[in-house]
Amino acid sequence: MDLGTDDPVLVLNSGSSSIKYQLLHPRTSEVVAAGIVERIGEPEGGIEHRTGGQRIEQREPIADHSAGLRLVFEMFARTGRDLTRAGLRAVGHRVVHGGEVFYRPTLIDDEVLATIDELSVLAPLHNPANVAGIRSARALLPGVPQVAVFDTAFFHGLPAAAKTYAIDAKVAAAHGIRRYGFHGTSHEYVSGQVAQFLGREPAQLNQIVFHLGNGASASAIRGGRPIDTSMGLTPLEGLVMGTRSGDLDPGIVPHLMRSAGLDIDAVDALLNRDSGLKGLSGVNDFRALQELIDAGDPAARLAYDVYIHRLRHYLGAYLIDLGGVDVLTFTAGVGENSPAVRADALAGLQRFGIAVDPVRNVAKDRVARRISPDDAPVAVLVVPTNEELAIARAALALVIQD
Ligand code: AMP
């Protein structure tokens, strides 16, 4: 993509208690500075700012997103860059839920912001934080175009059979209940990188992408368009995650409410924050899980086995959905860094043309690479994701076209 300008873009990913940020040049992919504000609203907040080999950490309570963003500006100023005069061409915001309304990068005005806020009913843990981040950025950078890039956008055109839940159709329509899918920016970016790496057109490829980070999702992509994905109405469905359960019998929810006396917020917290790897083993971080497994901890072993079992279910389903696959890709923290997960997820599948070369699998390069043997019918790749770059490019492409 020729973006035609070297102007920088600020990317903001505002979570409920954090703001991740990057200042970068989308055309060259050069990152000028990056950092994270953490524990917003808690007694012990802080910021970590990295620029040009320098790393600054500062601990102080941060009242809200607006105070967090002011601190980001302060850090830039301390390291010699006034963000209000940095020639920013756009601010790109990661917005989690675009509902049925938003399915492309969108220039934010009052009306768009109000709609993103209304969509909070579909993403109560995420959209309110995104809105807070957008409000703060608009206040601090009034002259700079603000662009929302939606995590759901890539999956907007899912086939009806893949996006429809088998519940009362009127209830579903009244409450926006369908599969939306998330991590779309990553699945889109990575599947594009895959086509480039293989020197093929996206239109020629059947792909499966596993985004395995703290959150985790799988997608089946035919000819550049997703035909299925594992996350649903919310980012809770699908694979086992750090703290999220992924797929469950929906009957568990009323059962817990009746038998354990939990109210709906307690069930929501249980499934989103205290389940997944953490619920099974006590730890949500994959490296900590691996240490427990190495020390012989049976609960950690079971958590790992459930994680792999679920991954293989989606792999099997998507192989059939696609009617065969050309390339299978692992990305995000676990997908890029855990050779064990990649090997175990794909073990014993030679009859489907899927194999992992054990030497290639343990290489530590930080670039897109093949881990299958050259003569295997299915290419297996590890491709680093880069959601910030994808958001920055999308935001810049939108503002220069306007
Ligand atoms: P992400 O959400 O993409 O940042 O991914 C976070 C997850 O990646 C955490 O569970 C980390 O433990 C995991 N991770 C990061 N580095 C490694 C590594 N070297 N080996 C295994 N897991 C890792």
Side-chain angles (χ1 to χ4, degrees):
M1 188 192 337
D2 184 13
L3 291 162
T5 164
D6 279 329
D7 290 347
V9 170
L10 179 68
V11 174
L12 296 180
N13 180 354
S14 308
S16 53
S17 64
S18 69
I19 303 172
K20 289 190 200 136
Y21 61 92
Q22 258 190 30
L23 176 68
L24 71 165
H25 292 280
R27 182 144 95 158
T28 57
S29 314
E30 183 208 344
V31 177
V32 179
I36 181 165
V37 181
E38 284 179 296
R39 304 187 176 211
I40 296 174
E42 294 177 32
E44 301 214 343
I47 184 167
E48 185 190 319
H49 184 80
R50 302 182 304 278
T51 183
Q54 216 185 338
R55 187 169 156 277
I56 308 178
E57 256 191 85
Q58 189 167 308
R59 301 280 135 210
E60 65 180 68
I62 298 157
D64 52 23
H65 284 78
S66 171
L69 199 57
R70 281 200 304 275
L71 193 56
V72 172
F73 276 58
E74 266 173 56
M75 283 292 160
F76 273 99
R78 254 171 71 179
T79 50
R81 196 168 268 106
D82 177 352
L83 269 186
T84 58
R85 291 157 193 252
L88 286 180
R89 193 61 184 264
V91 181
H93 295 269
R94 175 178 187 231
V95 178
V96 167
H97 218 306
E100 297 272 9
V101 193
F102 300 114
Y103 47 91
R104 349 190 125 87
T106 304
L107 202 59
I108 300 170
D109 57 18
D110 291 346
E111 200 181 322
V112 167
L113 186 56
T115 311
I116 294 173
D117 204 9
E118 281 162 24
L119 289 168
S120 294
V121 286
L122 292 172
L125 301 175
H126 298 99
N127 274 35
N130 302 152
V131 168
I134 294 169
R135 285 214 173 99
S136 312
R138 287 179 94 193
L140 287 168
L141 295 165
V144 182
Q146 314 274 328
V147 179
V149 178
F150 297 90
D151 225 28
T152 46
F154 184 52
F155 299 113
H156 177 74
L158 280 181
K163 73 177 180 193
T164 305
Y165 291 110
I167 64 167
D168 183 312
K170 289 193 208 74
V171 173
H175 297 282
I177 295 174
R178 50 158 278 199
R179 175 170 290 112
Y180 292 93
F182 298 86
H183 293 150
T185 305
S186 178
H187 285 276
E188 184 173 17
Y189 173 81
V190 167
S191 57
Q193 295 294 110
V194 166
Q196 261 185 32
F197 178 86
L198 296 174
R200 307 267 300 272
E201 286 301 316
Q204 301 172 321
L205 293 172
N206 278 359
Q207 306 196 31
I208 297 175
V209 175
F210 286 116
H211 174 112
L212 308 178
N214 236 324
S217 60
S219 66
I221 302 171
R222 177 185 290 139
R225 290 172 183 275
I227 61 161
D228 211 345
T229 192
S230 59
M231 283 178 165
L233 173 80
T234 72
L236 184 56
E237 192 178 355
L239 301 173
V240 176
M241 308 181 214
T243 63
R244 286 174 248 166
S245 62
D247 294 336
L248 287 175
D249 174 355
I252 291 172
V253 173
H255 176 72
L256 276 172
M257 295 179 74
R258 288 192 199 106
S259 300
L262 299 186
D263 67 15
I264 199 65
D265 290 331
V267 175
D268 208 18
L270 175 77
L271 300 181
N272 277 294
R273 295 199 205 121
D274 295 318
S275 295
L277 298 176
K278 182 178 174 206
L280 290 171
S281 73
V283 296
N284 68 294
D285 188 280
F286 221 88
R287 283 164 292 196
L289 185 80
Q290 275 166 343
E291 280 169 23
L292 287 177
I293 293 170
D294 293 344
D297 184 302
R301 180 77 234 176
L302 177 62
Y304 181 85
D305 291 346
V306 176
Y307 185 95
I308 297 293
H309 182 77
R310 189 82 54 83
L311 264 182
R312 289 171 68 92
H313 262 274
Y314 275 93
L315 172 61
Y318 290 173
L319 273 176
I320 301 301
D321 274 356
L322 289 164
V325 67
D326 300 300
V327 52
L328 223 155
T329 305
F330 291 90
T331 192
V334 177
E336 291 168 34
N337 295 301
S338 175
V341 164
R342 298 189 296 255
D344 291 337
L346 305 184
L349 300 179
Q350 286 80 358
R351 75 170 62 182
F352 299 101
I354 298 172
V356 172
D357 178 293
V359 175
R360 289 182 173 180
N361 190 28
V362 295
K364 287 195 160 46
D365 320 358
R366 296 246 142 256
V367 291
R369 60 199 171 90
R370 186 190 299 263
I371 58 166
S372 48
D374 286 333
D375 58 356
V378 175
V380 182
L381 308 185
V382 176
V383 174
T385 191
N386 193 339
E387 287 164 283
E388 291 79 10
L389 178 61
I391 290 169
R393 284 183 178 164
L396 188 58
L398 180 73
V399 300
I400 60 180
Q401 148 211 313
D402 266 15

